């Protein structure tokens, strides 16, 4: 990789040349047929970043005219990447990064045969309550830096390890310092002091706790699972959050089948996460959340044309239909299954039915202590029957849909300039060579990440 600087513009513009494979997730914007390739791959490509936005993308043979048209001057910096692959920054739409403590002993015991149970969360709650703001902030920053070095440029962060009004407010406030995608998860588990009084704890979550946390959060979430919260309790929490102006998301189907997935679809949740155990009705509800809301005319998501299943229109950069409506994304978290030895979600079943799938890390100290989205891509391809194209799309554009964002997850003009350069000739190497540090460079909002 070679860089040449020509400073002098009103705001820095970077032209990336010599891209062997450019994944845009915006086929129409680069003249690619979305039916043939929903990921909008361009070979021998160039990409122009102007300040914090993508200004132009396409074949390198056309970049001189494109740069002149949209920039009207020479770029400030030219980066020659010598045939490497470029893709949008990963969008990690499910993490739990405000925590203290370590659960390595629990992991070791689980690998020796003890099954995963939701109750392990309470040990992290105790450590988090005892930690100072500075300690929690330092841990949050450390994990975000770690994720950024692996190509993650957009992160959702949940609370859920405080479980008192003061500690949950502190968690969402600290998360809001680093990301707008903050989720209030006061209903993570019932804390020890409310043992046997779950409904009273739900009263607190829906009352004083929500009132304290809502000003710092964009989303509300609940762990709808045996050992955590019932569907009825989950509905109360989500409806209270929605009434307070928060978007809805949900944990469901991690430990066994239940009503959580269909509750999420009924409430118009942006995403329902885990989805390890799904009934036929769950799959139909997730697919129908897209196809029933409007006609599916236009492009398809990766895999739909070759494997069947109706998909939402992809003519808009964010994957919504022309009327702007969206369905409920199934966010799959393969790091959890890797760390708990549970069965992996059947992504192929969801995709073939017409559901929309995202991938996320679920980075947390108990069930998935990884911040690596490349690992999630590799696991999705190897263990969940996804193609490389589907997995990369799910980890970028799919995550953006799960957050209802239209500015990230793609590299069409106008998108946020979040770019990952791989030290490999194609995105296939993310799964072909798992565990290898493929990320050579990252630009976040147009700025090279150190």
């Amino acid at each position: 990789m070679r860089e040449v600087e020509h400073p002098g513009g009103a705001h820095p513009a970077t032209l990336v040349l010599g891209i062997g494979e450019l994944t845009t997730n915006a086929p129409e914007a680069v003249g690619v047929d979305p039916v043939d390739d929903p990921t909008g791959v361009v070979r021998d490509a160039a990409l122009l970043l102007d300040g914090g936005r993508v200004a132009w993308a396409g074949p390198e043979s056309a970049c001189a005219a494109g740069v002149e048209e949209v920039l009207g001057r020479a770029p400030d910096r030219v980066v020659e990447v010598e045939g490497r692959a470029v893709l949008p920054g990963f969008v990690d739409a499910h993490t739990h990064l405000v925590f203290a403590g370590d659960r390595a002993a629990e992991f070791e015991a689980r690998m020796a045969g003890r099954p995963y149970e939701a109750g392990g969360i309470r040990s992290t709650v105790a450590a988090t309550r005892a930690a100072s703001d500075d300690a929690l902030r330092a841990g949050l920053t450390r994990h975000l830096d770690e994720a950024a070095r692996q190509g993650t440029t957009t992160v959702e962060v949940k609370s859920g390890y405080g479980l008192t009004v003061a500690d949950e407010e502190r968690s969402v406030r600290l998360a809001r310092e680093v990301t707008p995608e903050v989720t209030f998860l006061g209903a993570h588990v019932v804390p020890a002091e409310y043992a046997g009084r779950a409904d009273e704890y739900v009263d607190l979550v829906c009352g004083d706790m929500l009132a304290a946390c809502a000003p710092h959060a964009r989303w509300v979430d609940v762990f709808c699972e045996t050992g955590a919260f019932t569907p009825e309790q989950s509905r109360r929490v989500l409806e209270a959050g929605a009434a307070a102006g928060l978007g809805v998301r949900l944990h469901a189907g991690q430990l066994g089948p239940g009503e959580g997935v269909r509750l999420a679809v009924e409430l118009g949740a942006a995403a329902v996460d885990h989805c390890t155990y799904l009934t036929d009705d769950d799959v139909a509800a997730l697919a129908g959340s897209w196809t029933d809301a409007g006609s599916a005319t236009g492009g398809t998501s990766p895999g739909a044309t070759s494997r069947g299943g109706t998909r939402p229109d992809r003519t808009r950069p964010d994957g919504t239909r022309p009327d702007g409506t969206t369905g409920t994304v199934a966010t799959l978290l393969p790091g959890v299954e890797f760390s708990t030895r549970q069965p992996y979600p059947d992504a192929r079943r969801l995709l073939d039915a017409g559901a929309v799938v995202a991938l996320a890390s679920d980075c947390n100290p108990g069930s998935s202590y990884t911040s690596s989205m490349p690992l999630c891509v590799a696991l999705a391809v190897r263990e969940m029957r996804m193609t490389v194209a589907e997995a990369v799309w799910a980890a970028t554009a799919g995550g953006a849909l799960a957050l209802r964002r239209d500015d990230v997850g793609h590299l069409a003009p106008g998108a946020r300039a979040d770019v990952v350069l791989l030290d490999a000739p194609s995105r296939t190497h993310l799964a072909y060579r798992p565990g290898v540090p493929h990320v050579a460079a990252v630009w976040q909002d147009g700025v090279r990440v150190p």
Side-chain angles (χ1 to χ4, degrees):
M1 184 172 67
R2 302 190 306 272
E3 296 189 30
V4 178
E5 295 195 23
H6 305 283
H11 41 83
T14 299
L15 178 62
V16 185
L17 296 175
I19 302 170
E21 176 190 87
L22 173 63
T23 297
T24 66
N25 290 338
E28 291 88 348
V30 291
V32 174
D33 186 338
V35 174
D36 293 339
D37 177 19
T39 65
V41 167
V42 182
R43 314 285 176 186
D44 301 319
L47 179 69
L48 177 65
L49 312 179
D50 187 14
R53 295 287 162 176
V54 174
W56 185 89
E60 185 169 328
S61 59
C63 79
V67 170
E68 176 62 29
E69 180 181 354
V70 301
L71 196 63
R73 60 178 175 84
D76 302 279
R77 180 178 295 107
V78 176
V79 180
E80 168 58 61
V81 299
E82 301 171 327
R84 293 176 173 88
V86 168
L87 58 150
F90 295 117
V91 180
D92 192 349
H94 184 129
T95 79
H96 304 254
L97 297 183
V98 183
F99 68 87
D102 181 284
R103 285 158 66 184
E106 177 188 316
F107 172 81
E108 185 176 19
R110 192 162 61 240
M111 293 302 101
R114 192 177 79 194
Y116 173 72
E117 297 176 354
I121 294 168
R122 294 186 181 93
S123 63
T124 301
V125 170
T128 302
R129 288 178 177 179
S132 68
D133 283 16
D134 286 344
L136 292 177
R137 187 180 284 113
L140 176 59
T141 300
R142 182 174 67 254
H143 288 103
L144 288 173
D145 289 346
E146 178 183 274
R149 290 194 300 272
Q150 298 174 89
T152 298
T153 53
T154 301
V155 182
E156 180 261 15
V157 177
K158 303 180 191 296
S159 67
Y161 291 129
L163 309 187
T164 67
V165 173
D167 286 305
E168 283 296 295
E169 188 276 338
R170 175 173 69 152
S171 294
V172 293
R173 174 169 42 82
L174 293 175
R176 187 64 184 82
E177 292 177 1
V178 297
T179 179
E181 301 300 340
V182 177
T183 299
F184 166 51
L185 183 59
H188 200 182
V189 294
V190 178
E193 62 268 28
Y194 278 87
R197 299 183 294 132
D199 285 336
E200 290 182 37
Y201 181 66
V202 171
D203 291 340
L204 177 68
V205 171
C206 296
D208 292 346
M209 192 180 289
L210 175 62
C213 293
H216 307 290
R218 184 182 177 207
W219 304 98
V220 63
D221 197 347
V222 60
F223 192 11
C224 182
E225 199 78 57
T226 300
F229 296 91
T230 67
E232 294 75 18
Q233 293 165 340
S234 300
R235 179 186 292 275
R236 284 187 58 201
V237 171
L238 297 176
E239 289 182 343
L246 302 181
V248 172
R249 41 203 333 107
L250 187 67
H251 288 57
Q254 178 185 0
L255 306 179
E259 300 174 36
V261 170
R262 279 160 286 155
L263 175 64
V265 172
E266 177 193 340
L267 296 180
V272 57
D273 302 359
H274 287 290
C275 297
T276 306
Y277 295 92
L278 298 177
T279 66
D280 289 345
D281 287 344
D282 293 333
V283 174
L286 286 165
S289 74
W290 295 90
T291 58
D292 292 349
S295 61
T297 58
T300 59
S301 288
T305 55
S306 60
R307 299 181 183 267
T310 305
R311 294 309 191 86
D313 182 15
R314 295 287 177 225
T315 57
R316 288 168 57 98
D318 63 353
T320 60
R321 300 180 197 82
D323 66 359
T325 59
T326 58
T328 297
V329 175
T331 303
L332 308 184
L333 311 169
V336 173
E337 284 70 40
F338 179 84
S339 182
T340 62
R341 287 184 173 159
Q342 289 182 269
Y344 284 87
D346 190 346
R348 182 82 271 132
R349 179 186 180 198
L350 286 163
L351 291 166
D352 289 350
V356 175
V357 169
L359 293 174
S361 73
D362 193 13
C363 185
N364 75 84
S367 62
S368 182
Y369 200 8
T370 180
S371 58
S372 175
M373 289 295 282
L375 172 63
C376 293
V377 168
L379 290 173
V381 172
R382 173 62 181 84
E383 303 290 348
M384 290 160 49
R385 299 195 294 155
M386 298 181 80
T387 68
V388 172
E390 288 167 342
V392 170
W393 189 94
T396 52
L401 273 177
L403 295 174
R404 292 190 172 165
R405 294 277 295 269
D406 62 5
D407 60 331
V408 297
H410 64 100
L411 294 175
R416 202 171 78 176
D418 291 349
V419 180
V420 173
L421 173 69
L422 300 181
D423 194 10
S426 79
R427 63 195 182 189
T428 300
H429 282 240
L430 291 168
Y432 175 47
R433 303 191 67 211
V436 174
H438 289 296
V439 176
V442 178
W443 286 264
Q444 188 170 23
D445 203 17
V447 177
R448 177 83 171 267
V449 174

